[in-house]
Amino acid sequence: MRCSITLAVLLALGACRGRAAEPDVAAVAFFEKQVRPLLVEHCHGCHSAKANKTRGGLALDNREAVLKGGDTGPAVVPGKPEQSLLISAVHATKAELQMPPKGKLRPPQIAVLEKWVRDGAVYPDGAKAAAVTALDPSAPEARQFWSFRPLRRVPAPAVQNAQWPQRPIDPFLLAAMEQRKLAPSAPADRRVLIRRAYFDLTGLPPAPEDVDAFVRDPRPDAYARLVDRLLDSPHYGERWARYWLDLARYCDVPESWLKPRGQGWPYRDWVVKALNSDLPYDQFVQRQLAADLVPGLDPKERAALGFLGGSPDYWKELQLDVEVIKSIVADEWEEKIDAVSSTFLGLTTACARCHDHKFDPITQKDYYALAGVIAGTRQVDLPLLPDAEAAAIRKAEEEIGALEEQIKALKAKKPAPADAKARLEELAARVKRLEETPGYKDVPVRGVTDAHVSVVSRGPNKTRLEYEDGVGHDVAVHTRGNPNRPGPVVPRRFLTVLSGDGAKPFTRGSGRLELAKAVVTDGAPLAARVIVNRVWKHHFGRGLVDTPSDFGRQGDRPSHPELLDDLAARFVAGGKGEGAWSLKWLHREIMLSAAYQQASSHDAAKQTVDPDNRWLWRMNRRRLEVESWRDAMLAVNGTLRPELGGPPQELTDANNRRRTLYGLVRRRDLTDLLRLHDFPDPLGHSAGRIPTTTPLQQLFALNGPLLRQEAAALVKRLEADVPAGGADRVRRAYALLFNRTPTEREIKLALAYLGEKPDASAWSRYAHVLLGSNEFLFID
């Protein structure tokens, strides 16, 4: 009996699956940024429609031709690079098949082609590409695309069920439902609603006492009061910071070749604090790009620069040729441009590195206008102190670095000088004195400062990076993305399509502050739509736009365009009692709607009309992210430590009782807990997690140490709360974990499983089953 109950509940872990992944946008972006430039530069001269004569009967300028191949057969077998002639040719494994003829590709370039083939050889050409041609960004019609238009208030549409709407967003949703002969679902049960609200805003479950108080509260504004209380909770900032950190590719431990004093966690804590204080979103954006350049800003706000300072660092072996290092530096620019434009503007601007964007009105000159800003920005360890104190610390760091080099050289000298010991002691003492510089031992952030980088040769296979502190320079277009083929120099400026009658050149240092202001002024309509859609997505399980980081023509169109425009316009203008760009206002506006308060119950007839619930006739049932899942375990067993901020701690440490937000994240080596449960790759911007259901997840729940450990802790709490055990202890477990009373059948099953005289081991197994159940993992 015990085994059958355990097996049934654990198998339920796999009962609910997320929507199928739609990798098309990411695959297309990879092709446009990485693959197409290689094919154009190295292959199309002989293998395309533009070639004077197609060699070997092979064309590589559209997918159909690639799959058909030439005289020797198909060039590519999607998913199988080892069987693809193209990959064999670039590896030059056969004397009769070696391409390109002018010289072998570099290993990173070959790796790009292998990944492209392995991932299915996506090639966005043919009818779709022919039907979509990028517009001149300065043309009026380019600015008429839906996401580039000015924001506008939209009158609420007329609806038949005039009693249902509770907030201005509801009529838009109801009108779309009624148009399709759909009707909203009934309101959610109060126990369901409080659990939903708690997890949405704090990522933690409500205590049974809070649930009971809310259920008994007769006041008509009881739910509004609950939402306000949760928005005021310090745990709100922790919950929503994690969503932002996905976009910012946050990590605590960067690349192994970096040995920074600066840390990532001051940036994480800054995000939590900014959200809790409801820092207006336009300032939230500006500080992450240029906090050090905003006049009069508290130096502690420079922790916000971790957004740029935490960018991935690519290994640069300076014993290599200057051309190689220039390419690596250009790749770093591309990563930062992609992170900035995708996060704040929802645009795939990095696709314009090698050529004008194939679909959106973004030119190659636009890309290099932004690249000039990035090229003038250097990643540094940034003290969160006034300028004079920070300068003293930087001077001390430089002197310590020089002294450590002397120590290293002295230790390596053979034979050792007679006075080596005395000299080493003297050097160590000088280092110790410098470390006493006021503020030196304070934790700096991995931030940025203005310093233009140049890659210069210092001889054959010797390269040097030179920085000009405090200045910025325009950079040249890289022909076909190759930094060793410079074209015309482009002034630093904002994107043409978002700049109205003309993008003014940036002239102050790198241009970071001017760029930051342009994002929330010239780019305000787009930036507002993007963040409103992101918040909507996390509340409803999907966005009004299904491609949250691509609001261009390759992205999806909004399901409710008028609603998105109206909500974004009100967000920028400010709501009643709230300032402009208030994220807390936006949460409140969404959560107080009738749409958000619907039940998630199934309806077969409505499901037939709208199987994906695109028109929101019910609330979507959602699975907890791994952070909330683990945090909820700690919360219900009473061991969660609630304090905010500070250095990270290993998630594998059994004594770690802090929220998962504060768990150590390594850029290139995630723990099993994170890796198995859809945590994003910290190497790049993540627009949204794609939920998966895999056997390894279920084995982790069944056999991993986490659930066994937390089940034992839960039993200790249950024993303390209900010493007598029996049915009352089962009821307490259900109240803690599921915020409800168990049915009589559930009590009978539990007691039968536990046996007449259950020991601690039996209760631990039972607690393990409850923690591993779908009801604990999913939110209605």
Side-chain angles (χ1 to χ4, degrees):
M1 180 67 176
R2 294 182 186 178
C3 292
S4 63
I5 293 175
T6 305
L7 182 61
V9 176
L10 286 171
L11 286 177
L13 284 170
C16 296
R17 296 178 179 268
R19 292 190 302 123
E22 297 180 0
D24 291 358
V25 172
V28 169
F30 178 78
F31 178 85
E32 295 295 349
K33 289 190 289 184
Q34 305 278 356
V35 181
R36 190 191 293 273
L38 284 177
L39 297 179
V40 169
E41 182 167 1
H42 297 285
C43 307
H44 284 186
C46 300
H47 301 287
S48 71
K50 295 181 179 179
N52 293 330
K53 180 181 179 181
T54 304
R55 304 291 178 84
L58 173 64
L60 295 174
D61 54 356
N62 64 81
R63 192 170 195 269
E64 292 76 10
V66 169
L67 298 182
K68 179 182 177 183
D71 299 342
T72 54
V76 161
V77 180
K80 299 179 179 180
E82 69 282 356
Q83 298 180 20
S84 299
L85 290 175
L86 175 64
I87 303 304
S88 177
V90 296
H91 273 294
T93 54
K94 299 178 181 179
E96 69 277 11
L97 187 65
Q98 296 185 12
M99 293 292 168
K102 294 183 179 180
K104 188 177 178 180
L105 297 180
R106 292 186 290 111
Q109 296 172 316
I110 296 174
V112 164
L113 293 176
E114 288 179 331
K115 174 176 169 54
W116 171 58
V117 175
R118 189 181 305 112
D119 293 347
V122 170
Y123 202 134
D125 268 344
K128 185 174 184 180
V132 183
T133 303
L135 296 172
D136 178 354
S138 61
E141 55 267 31
R143 299 184 186 122
Q144 291 307 306
F145 187 69
W146 73 267
S147 63
F148 301 148
R149 294 173 189 164
L151 293 175
R152 61 192 177 102
R153 289 296 312 274
V154 182
V159 294
Q160 298 172 24
N161 183 5
Q163 286 70 45
W164 185 73
Q166 296 186 30
R167 304 299 297 175
I169 70 175
D170 288 323
F172 293 97
L173 297 172
L174 183 57
M177 285 186 250
E178 290 178 345
Q179 184 180 353
R180 292 160 180 83
K181 309 302 181 186
L182 293 168
S185 297
D189 176 85
R190 275 204 164 192
R191 291 184 183 275
V192 170
L193 189 58
I194 185 175
R195 185 172 173 83
R196 181 188 301 169
Y198 259 81
F199 274 107
D200 265 13
L201 287 182
T202 70
L204 296 170
E209 298 74 21
D210 292 331
V211 175
D212 292 341
F214 178 64
V215 169
R216 293 194 305 267
D217 192 338
R219 292 175 294 183
D221 64 344
Y223 174 62
R225 289 171 177 264
L226 170 69
V227 171
D228 285 341
R229 179 163 58 84
L230 294 177
L231 286 171
D232 288 338
S233 166
H235 299 307
Y236 155 73
E238 293 178 311
R239 168 63 158 168
W240 284 83
R242 184 59 258 180
Y243 289 137
W244 187 262
L245 296 178
D246 284 6
L247 304 173
R249 67 269 196 257
Y250 172 82
C251 74
D252 296 295
V253 180
E255 290 70 20
S256 59
W257 50 86
L258 294 179
K259 304 296 180 185
R261 284 208 320 120
Q263 300 295 308
W265 61 263
Y267 170 68
R268 174 247 287 155
D269 288 356
W270 178 86
V271 176
V272 173
K273 180 182 176 183
L275 294 175
N276 276 334
S277 65
D278 200 21
L279 180 70
Y281 181 71
D282 57 341
Q283 295 182 40
F284 184 72
V285 171
Q286 290 183 61
R287 294 184 190 186
Q288 291 182 77
L289 296 178
D292 57 327
L293 304 176
V294 176
L297 201 61
D298 187 334
K300 289 184 172 60
E301 290 297 295
R302 295 175 185 176
L305 296 172
F307 179 87
L308 289 174
S311 301
D313 182 272
Y314 301 164
W315 174 248
K316 306 172 197 68
E317 175 51 72
L318 297 181
Q319 298 303 312
L320 294 176
D321 189 74
V322 66
E323 293 187 356
V324 176
I325 304 304
K326 282 184 177 181
S327 295
I328 295 171
V329 170
D331 290 345
E332 288 183 330
W333 297 352
E334 180 186 331
E335 191 283 329
K336 291 181 177 67
I337 291 171
D338 180 66
V340 170
S341 64
S342 296
T343 299
F344 300 117
L345 296 170
L347 291 177
T348 56
T349 305
C351 290
R353 172 181 171 179
C354 306
H355 48 71
D356 290 351
H357 201 295
K358 292 294 181 180
F359 305 100
D360 296 334
I362 301 170
T363 65
Q364 195 178 16
K365 288 184 177 179
D366 282 326
Y367 175 89
Y368 286 97
L370 297 181
V373 177
I374 300 302
T377 304
R378 182 182 188 181
Q379 290 173 252
V380 295
D381 296 340
L382 197 65
L384 306 180
L385 296 166
D387 290 342
E389 295 177 40
I393 291 172
R394 282 195 291 272
K395 182 180 179 182
E397 288 174 340
E398 291 173 0
E399 293 180 10
I400 288 173
L403 290 171
E404 288 176 341
E405 287 296 322
Q406 292 180 44
I407 291 172
K408 183 179 177 181
L410 187 56
K411 287 181 176 180
K413 196 168 185 179
K414 302 296 181 184
D419 62 344
K421 182 178 178 181
R423 288 168 61 186
L424 286 171
E425 289 177 352
E426 179 191 353
L427 292 171
R430 289 170 63 187
V431 169
K432 188 174 181 179
R433 286 196 298 271
L434 286 166
E435 288 176 345
E436 298 301 321
T437 302
Y440 182 87
K441 294 181 180 179
D442 293 353
V443 177
V445 70
R446 290 201 300 272
V448 294
T449 189
D450 274 5
H452 183 82
V453 62
S454 298
V455 183
V456 297
S457 174
R458 57 188 182 94
N461 294 326
K462 291 183 179 181
T463 305
R464 181 173 63 248
L465 300 180
E466 294 183 349
Y467 293 94
E468 296 178 77
D469 290 339
V471 303
H473 292 299
D474 300 328
V475 300
V477 169
H478 296 169
T479 304
R480 293 179 177 172
N482 185 345
N484 300 297
R485 298 179 61 189
V489 173
V490 181
R492 305 187 302 287
R493 56 169 174 76
F494 195 43
L495 298 177
T496 305
V497 72
L498 299 178
S499 301
D501 294 333
K504 296 180 180 178
F506 298 158
T507 58
R508 297 176 55 190
S510 66
R512 276 187 294 123
L513 182 58
E514 292 156 292
L515 171 62
K517 290 180 177 179
V519 168
V520 292
T521 52
D522 291 348
L526 180 57
R529 289 183 177 102
V530 168
I531 189 60
V532 165
N533 185 66
R534 293 195 195 282
V535 173
W536 184 282
K537 176 183 185 293
H538 291 306
H539 280 305
F540 284 102
R542 68 185 300 179
L544 294 168
V545 178
D546 260 347
T547 50
S549 289
D550 189 354
F551 274 42
R553 287 198 286 173
Q554 278 288 90
D556 288 342
R557 301 300 184 268
S559 57
H560 302 74
E562 292 83 6
L563 166 57
L564 180 57
D565 266 17
D566 188 69
L567 187 56
R570 291 191 293 127
F571 169 65
V572 171
K576 185 177 180 181
E578 303 281 1
W581 299 89
S582 167
L583 288 169
K584 288 191 175 182
W585 172 88
L586 182 58
H587 289 296
R588 191 178 294 108
E589 194 70 7
I590 290 172
M591 294 183 67
L592 295 183
S593 69
Y596 179 87
Q597 297 178 60
Q598 293 179 101
S600 60
S601 51
H602 177 74
D603 184 299
K606 296 175 183 176
Q607 187 82 10
T608 301
V609 176
D610 181 21
D612 291 334
N613 193 31
R614 189 64 172 142
W615 308 111
L616 289 176
W617 51 268
R618 62 175 173 85
M619 191 59 174
N620 290 309
R621 194 174 192 232
R622 285 170 289 144
R623 193 172 78 180
L624 292 177
E625 297 91 348
V626 61
E627 295 91 341
S628 286
W629 185 49
R630 176 182 174 274
D631 294 350
M633 294 184 206
L634 303 184
V636 300
N637 65 30
T639 65
L640 180 68
R641 288 172 50 193
E643 62 267 23
L644 275 65
Q649 189 174 351
E650 286 280 8
L651 288 170
T652 53
D653 182 354
N655 296 317
N656 184 356
R657 304 282 96 190
R658 304 201 65 202
R659 294 198 68 167
T660 313
L661 174 72
Y662 304 117
L664 190 72
V665 177
R666 293 180 177 83
R667 173 155 278 149
R668 297 172 185 270
D669 184 22
L670 294 176
T671 63
D672 288 345
L673 173 67
L674 300 180
R675 180 175 53 82
L676 295 175
H677 295 93
D678 309 323
F679 192 83
D681 186 347
L683 272 170
H685 165 93
S686 175
R689 302 186 188 185
I690 300 174
T692 62
T693 302
T694 69
L696 286 177
Q697 292 170 356
Q698 294 158 43
L699 289 171
F700 182 92
L702 183 62
N703 300 319
L706 177 65
L707 268 75
R708 292 200 307 271
Q709 173 183 296
E710 302 314 325
L714 176 59
V715 171
K716 289 182 179 179
R717 176 174 187 176
L718 292 172
E719 288 173 345
D721 289 356
V722 188
D728 285 343
R729 187 179 289 177
V730 173
R731 292 188 184 94
R732 180 61 174 167
Y734 269 72
L736 286 169
L737 272 71
F738 310 132
N739 303 125
R740 68 175 177 87
T741 302
T743 64
E744 288 302 314
R745 181 175 180 274
E746 286 168 329
I747 293 174
K748 289 180 181 179
L749 282 171
L751 295 178
Y753 174 79
L754 290 164
E756 293 184 6
K757 295 181 179 180
D759 56 13
S761 176
W763 276 103
S764 287
R765 291 195 300 272
Y766 176 66
H768 192 156
V769 168
L770 297 183
L771 290 174
S773 67
N774 267 352
E775 187 169 357
F776 189 71
L777 181 61
F778 283 80
I779 300 301
D780 281 323

